[in-house]
């Protein structure tokens, strides 16, 4: 049964104001750019190369299907937040729909996912910096985490301002790339692209069959994950309810369009066989069009994307940990605020664990770090599934609420859960992805065991 009296400590607060918000708020422009830039990162700029090389032109179907699923999940999340003003973030929605156990599980899984991202992004940023700074990775990675940690400790507005400009660079790069691609297709710049040849003359639309299309779904999905994180930032903004409504209504569509348009231009401007896994397809296209210094330019953009993701990851983990502590699902020390109303203990602890993850990637990349990546690799699928099932509970509990506008009722929930199940199946049939599912289940089991122990302790 859904708890109708539950109000999140991170949310809007029906009486008074959240202690987090008293020290400063994110502005509307911060939320708009965080929502867009938060999902655009190295997964698009570089990771898309592996997906294109694996599936060929048919990868467009993967992006369309995966993008549609993300759009639906985020819209469902938005409807729940609008139906229950003040409830907080998606973790609180899951808790209200499925109970404290599900809230504990989703909160700690979400924190674990992003704290591993902190370590991974720090290593990625350190490797990128080595082209400019002659220092070893084990020095650069901690340095990046410390700098971004200090940004988060100062105030939420400093975080918002830094994230605004970092995200603006990424969004401007995508817009500039799309404009350049459209000009090239219009024969206004660069050599005339051979569109039909590039798309159809390399073993057709399905060079590796339908199996390859399904196999690339996990890669594409994980590059799009992060849209839901904008709701955490929106809850700490000046116009929280308005921003939540706008973010959840538009973010999925906008991000999907960015991804789709970028991939369409890549496939039409150069032969997909020229795309090398691990090498930015954006650089390949810009070089074909004749953009000077394309590799250097994209290297700067990718480093910016890594910094942005690192900044957002520390912010998200700290707010998630703060919310868990407020509900006694984490030590109370993480619910304390600094004089600037920043959860400094949560920020520092999350950064410290991220630093340990980074050192694991240096000291034990094929054992401990590989296990950590696997243990968090599929947890977002479970969280998305819980969001969808929570939406069904909310809708059945209040069917006349005008916030619920998505069509097809429970059939859409069941269909979306089925799509998430297909992603799991796609991962299970791939030997390289199967271990991720297994180790992620270990994470779920460990956290549920901790919940049982904590409940007995109380």
């Amino acid at each position: 049964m859904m708890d109708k009296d539950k109000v999140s400590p991170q949310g809007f607060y029906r009486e008074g104001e959240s202690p987090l918000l008293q020290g400063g708020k994110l502005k509307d422009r911060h939320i708009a750019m965080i929502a867009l830039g938060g999902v655009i990162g190295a997964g698009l700029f570089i990771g898309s190369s592996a997906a294109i090389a694996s599936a060929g032109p048919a990868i467009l179907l993967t992006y369309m299907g995966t993008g549609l699923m993300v759009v639906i999940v985020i819209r469902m999340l938005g409807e729940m937040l609008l139906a229950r003003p003040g409830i907080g973030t998606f973790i609180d929605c899951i808790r209200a729909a499925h109970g404290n156990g599900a809230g504990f599980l989703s909160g700690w899984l979400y924190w674990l996912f992003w704290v591993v991202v902190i370590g991974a992004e720090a290593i990625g940023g350190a490797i990128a910096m080595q082209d400019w700074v002659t220092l070893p990775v084990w020095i650069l990675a901690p340095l990046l985490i410390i700098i971004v940690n200090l940004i988060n400790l100062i105030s939420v507005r400093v975080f918002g301002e830094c994230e605004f400009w970092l995200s603006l660079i990424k969004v401007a790069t995508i817009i500039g790339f799309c404009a350049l691609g459209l000009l090239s297709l219009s024969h206004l710049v660069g050599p005339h692209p051979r569109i039909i040849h590039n798309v159809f003359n390399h073993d057709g639309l399905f060079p590796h069959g339908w199996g390859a299309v399904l196999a690339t779904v996990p890669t594409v999905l994980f590059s799009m994950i992060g849209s839901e994180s904008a709701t955490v930032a929106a809850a700490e903004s000046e116009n929280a309810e308005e921003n939540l409504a706008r973010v959840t209504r538009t973010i999925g569509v906008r991000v999907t369009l960015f991804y789709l348009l970028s991939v369409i231009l890549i496939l039409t401007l150069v032969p997909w066989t020229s795309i090398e896994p691990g090498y930015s397809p954006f650089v390949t296209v810009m070089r074909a069009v004749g953009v000077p210094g394309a590799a250097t330019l994209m290297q700067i953009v990718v480093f910016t994307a890594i910094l942005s993701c690192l900044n957002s990851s520390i912010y998200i983990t700290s707010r998630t940990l703060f919310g868990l502590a407020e509900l006694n699902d984490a030590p109370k020390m993480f619910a304390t605020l600094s004089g600037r109303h920043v959860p400094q203990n949560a920020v520092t602890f999350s950064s410290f664990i991220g630093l340990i993850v980074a050192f694991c990637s240096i000291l034990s990349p094929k054992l401990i770090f590989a296990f950590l990546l696997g243990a968090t690799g599929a947890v977002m699928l479970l969280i998305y599934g819980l969001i969808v099932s929570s939406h069904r509970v909310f809708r059945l509990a209040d069917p006349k609420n005008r916030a619920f506008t998505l069509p097809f009722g429970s059939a859409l929930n069941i269909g979306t859960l089925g799509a998430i199940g297909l992603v799991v199946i796609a991962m299970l049939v791939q030997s390289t992805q199967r271990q991720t599912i297994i180790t992620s289940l270990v994470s779920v089991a460990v956290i549920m065991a901790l919940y049982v122990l904590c409940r007995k302790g109380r």
Side-chain angles (χ1 to χ4, degrees):
M1 174 180 274
M2 187 170 67
D3 182 359
K4 294 187 177 182
D5 297 323
K6 180 75 190 131
V7 181
S8 166
Q10 294 175 255
F12 316 129
Y13 279 71
R14 292 191 179 100
E15 298 180 5
E17 189 179 54
S18 165
L20 282 174
L21 299 182
Q22 292 171 4
K25 304 176 183 178
L26 294 172
K27 295 183 178 295
D28 292 353
R29 65 182 178 87
H30 293 151
I31 300 302
M33 199 55 64
I34 289 171
L36 276 176
V39 194
I40 300 172
L44 173 61
F45 293 124
I46 298 178
S48 57
S49 61
I52 294 172
S54 297
I59 192 63
L60 191 59
L61 295 177
T62 307
Y63 275 99
M64 291 174 63
T66 305
L68 178 62
M69 185 173 71
V70 172
V71 167
I72 292 173
V73 171
I74 302 305
R75 278 292 303 276
M76 287 180 178
L77 172 58
E79 288 189 355
M80 288 190 290
L81 296 174
L82 292 174
R84 295 279 307 283
I87 194 171
T89 65
F90 69 91
I91 296 171
D92 301 291
C93 293
I94 293 172
R95 186 185 298 272
H98 297 301
N100 289 330
F104 184 97
L105 175 65
S106 59
W108 277 109
L109 283 178
Y110 197 63
W111 179 86
L112 183 63
F113 174 84
W114 285 108
V115 85
V116 171
V117 170
I118 292 174
E121 294 294 337
I123 292 299
I127 292 173
M129 285 181 68
Q130 283 191 308
D131 290 335
W132 310 315
V133 182
T134 55
L135 288 174
V137 170
W138 64 270
I139 292 179
L140 292 175
L143 186 62
L144 283 175
I145 292 178
I146 291 171
I147 292 172
V148 177
N149 177 67
L150 292 175
I151 289 173
N152 276 265
L153 283 174
I154 295 173
S155 73
V156 67
R157 285 200 173 182
V158 172
F159 156 78
E161 204 63 38
C162 290
E163 191 59 26
F164 173 83
W165 291 106
L166 290 172
S167 296
L168 182 61
I169 293 173
K170 294 186 289 184
V171 173
T173 300
I174 296 295
I175 293 174
F177 175 81
C178 292
L180 178 68
L182 292 173
L183 288 173
S184 179
L185 290 178
S186 302
H187 297 172
L188 296 177
V189 298
H192 296 176
R194 302 165 62 191
I195 300 175
I196 302 298
H197 175 269
N198 291 340
V199 176
F200 296 99
N201 284 19
H202 300 278
D203 297 323
L205 292 175
F206 298 88
H208 302 302
W210 278 97
V213 177
L214 186 60
T216 54
V217 170
T219 301
V220 173
L221 175 62
F222 295 138
S223 73
M224 290 186 169
I225 279 175
S227 300
E228 76 296 324
S229 64
T231 64
V232 178
E236 202 171 344
S237 63
E238 292 175 336
N239 304 301
E241 293 188 55
E242 294 178 12
N243 280 320
L244 278 169
R246 181 168 58 251
V247 164
T248 56
R249 186 173 59 250
T250 61
I251 179 61
V253 175
R254 290 180 179 179
V255 168
T256 301
L257 289 177
F258 270 137
Y259 272 74
L260 282 177
L261 186 54
S262 298
V263 173
I264 288 172
L265 290 172
I266 291 169
L267 293 173
T268 53
L269 291 172
V270 297
W272 70 268
T273 51
S274 66
I275 305 299
E276 301 177 20
Y279 185 79
S280 175
F282 289 77
V283 173
T284 302
V285 170
M286 287 191 289
R287 281 182 170 172
V289 175
V291 177
T296 301
L297 175 63
M298 192 51 57
Q299 189 176 20
I300 295 172
V301 171
V302 169
F303 180 69
T304 301
I306 290 172
L307 275 184
S308 173
C309 188
L310 183 59
N311 194 31
S312 293
S313 299
I314 291 178
Y315 174 83
I316 293 166
T317 52
S318 64
R319 268 51 180 187
T320 301
L321 189 55
F322 175 85
L324 289 167
E326 281 283 277
L327 294 172
N328 295 316
D329 283 341
K332 272 295 183 181
M333 61 177 289
F334 297 126
T336 58
L337 299 176
S338 68
R340 295 178 179 269
H341 292 266
V342 173
Q344 59 181 8
N345 290 340
V347 171
T348 303
F349 179 74
S350 297
S351 301
F352 176 70
I353 299 301
L355 183 61
I356 292 177
V357 173
F359 273 108
C360 285
S361 73
I362 298 171
L363 301 175
S364 182
K366 294 183 179 180
L367 183 60
I368 299 177
F369 185 65
F371 175 80
L372 290 172
L373 287 177
T376 59
V379 298
M380 286 303 299
L381 292 173
L382 174 61
I383 291 173
Y384 273 23
L386 287 171
I387 290 173
V388 175
S389 61
S390 298
H391 177 268
R392 184 172 184 271
V393 173
F394 272 62
R395 192 167 189 169
L396 291 175
D398 191 8
K400 295 183 179 180
N401 195 308
R402 293 183 179 181
F404 298 113
T405 59
L406 284 171
F408 309 120
S410 293
L412 185 62
N413 297 113
I414 296 171
T416 307
L417 288 173
I420 295 173
L422 284 177
V423 177
V424 174
I425 293 172
M427 295 179 70
L428 285 173
V429 298
Q430 300 178 64
S431 57
T432 55
Q433 298 276 3
R434 191 179 304 123
Q435 193 64 29
T436 299
I437 294 290
I438 296 172
T439 49
S440 292
L441 288 175
V442 172
S443 297
V444 173
V446 169
I447 291 177
M448 287 309 300
L450 288 174
Y451 173 71
V452 172
L453 291 174
C454 290
R455 187 175 61 176
K456 286 183 178 180
R458 292 170 190 166

